[in-house]
Amino acid sequence: MSTIMVLNGPNLNLLGQREPDQYGHETLADVEVMCREEAVKHGYEIDFRQSNHEGVLVDAIHEAGQLIKAGKLLGVVFNPGAYTHTSIALHDAIKGAEVPVVEVHISNVHAREAFRHHSYISPCAIGIVVGMGVQGYVLGMQGLLHKLAK
Ligand code: CA2
């Protein structure tokens, strides 16, 4: 059985606890359940992670690259949080490790502050889901499967 990694960046551990108007009422644990249920439907497992630390996320992308080369991982559904708008390190990691990434944002970043309009991740993503709430994770998984599953 193959695996899909679902990777979450800084502050997403607070999901469901604050800012419900922006991010909804579901917690990250709820999102994990949704992703696992979707994965099972397609015969996949989920490797669900969150970190507030840029280097830990870089390491996770590198690990994903190794797992993909070993045929154990399909790709990564990635909500990089605020690092979306700042991290050349994550951009380089995705490119360097040749990891198929679907970038997901719960909110419509393009309808928010100008500093959220630019993404360092989008140029190296195979697809992007924006503004669909936490359902965006499931849509991102479906997109990854549609593009890559044999
Ligand atoms: O819309 C998204 O998914 C974001 O990636 C969320 C990031 C934000 O910096 C991006 O611009 C867009 C923020 C994640 C913080 O999540 C919180 C959840 C609840 C309460 C506070 C923060």
Side-chain angles (χ1 to χ4, degrees):
M1 188 183 272
S2 190
T3 303
I4 294 170
M5 185 184 287
V6 182
L7 187 58
N8 292 279
N11 297 310
L12 285 158
N13 53 310
L14 299 176
L15 209 59
Q17 297 173 31
R18 285 174 223 154
E19 299 191 45
D21 293 349
Q22 200 66 258
Y23 301 117
H25 290 280
E26 291 91 349
T27 66
L28 200 60
D30 295 331
V31 175
E32 181 170 0
V33 170
M34 287 167 63
C35 290
R36 185 151 285 118
E37 283 174 0
E38 185 64 21
V40 165
K41 281 187 204 164
H42 300 275
Y44 280 75
E45 287 179 356
I46 279 293
D47 179 352
F48 196 91
R49 305 184 188 197
Q50 188 272 333
S51 177
N52 293 321
H53 304 279
E54 189 174 16
V56 173
L57 297 167
V58 169
D59 287 344
I61 295 290
H62 291 176
E63 193 183 331
Q66 295 301 319
L67 290 167
I68 288 163
K69 284 191 178 68
K72 294 178 182 166
L73 187 78
L74 186 67
V76 178
V77 173
F78 189 17
N79 184 346
Y83 288 140
T84 306
H85 319 298
T86 62
S87 182
I88 299 169
L90 283 168
H91 172 106
D92 288 348
I94 293 165
K95 268 196 172 167
E98 297 178 45
V99 174
V101 162
V102 177
E103 178 184 354
V104 171
H105 296 289
I106 300 165
S107 63
N108 178 1
V109 285
H110 300 289
R112 299 181 64 189
E113 304 96 321
F115 66 80
R116 295 186 204 275
H117 297 178
H118 177 263
S119 168
Y120 282 101
I121 309 305
S122 298
C124 43
I126 63 165
I128 305 162
V129 183
V130 168
M132 303 304 285
V134 295
Q135 191 63 26
Y137 287 86
V138 173
L139 297 170
M141 288 174 59
Q142 290 171 348
L144 193 75
L145 287 159
H146 180 71
K147 280 205 165 191
L148 301 179
K150 304 209 167 66

